[in-house]
Amino acid sequence: MKKILIIGIDPHTIDFTTPELPQGLNAEIINKGLKSTKEQLTSMGYDTELFLFKSGASELSELANQLKEKNYDGVVAGNGIRSVKANFILFEQIINVVHESAPNSKIIFNTLPTDSDEAVKRWL
């Protein structure tokens, strides 16, 4: 069974008043999307785990350790990390940690929480 790690921001720590985020988006919607994504990937035969940062986090050692301890076939960097300007440095750091700690993992990008399955299929 192939292993997938989905990296995102803990929705309970997001400032939803940020103008970059779609109006009406909230923690409940994101949690439903994450749950649905995980269920979809599991039904497709992938062992899927989530790794969620608290908004504003910059400590990546826990992520590095997890990537080194487990052999992930693919690592999905969620759009909430990539598309919000305040997360740009975190996104850059995450990509470098994945590259260094899991060099054999495919780095995968979704555009929405609901299309992670399509993104995973592109690479695995």
Side-chain angles (χ1 to χ4, degrees):
M1 182 178 283
K2 293 189 182 226
K3 292 179 77 76
I4 303 295
L5 181 65
I6 298 174
I7 302 173
I9 301 290
D10 181 339
H12 299 288
T13 67
I14 296 172
D15 176 5
F16 290 102
T17 64
T18 302
E20 293 177 79
L21 297 177
Q23 196 167 15
L25 187 63
N26 59 43
E28 183 180 338
I29 292 170
I30 293 174
N31 276 330
K32 284 181 183 178
L34 289 170
K35 182 180 177 188
S36 174
T37 294
K38 191 171 181 201
E39 289 172 354
Q40 176 68 22
L41 289 169
T42 299
S43 75
M44 294 168 56
Y46 296 103
D47 180 8
T48 306
E49 296 178 20
L50 298 175
F51 189 99
L52 302 178
F53 283 96
K54 294 194 181 316
S55 186
S58 60
E59 174 55 47
L60 283 86
S61 61
E62 190 176 326
L63 174 62
N65 290 337
Q66 184 166 339
L67 289 166
K68 289 174 186 174
E69 290 173 6
K70 299 183 179 184
N71 186 21
Y72 292 101
D73 297 286
V75 178
V76 178
N79 191 44
I81 293 172
R82 295 189 325 276
S83 67
V84 177
K85 288 180 187 179
N87 294 333
F88 177 75
I89 299 299
L90 175 62
F91 170 63
E92 194 173 57
Q93 292 170 327
I94 288 169
I95 295 304
N96 281 297
V97 166
V98 172
H99 177 69
E100 292 169 6
S101 303
N104 295 321
S105 296
K106 298 292 185 191
I107 298 173
I108 302 168
F109 302 115
N110 63 7
T111 57
L112 298 167
T114 55
D115 71 0
S116 295
D117 57 326
E118 294 171 25
V120 168
K121 285 193 277 187
R122 280 196 305 269
W123 291 100
L124 300 178

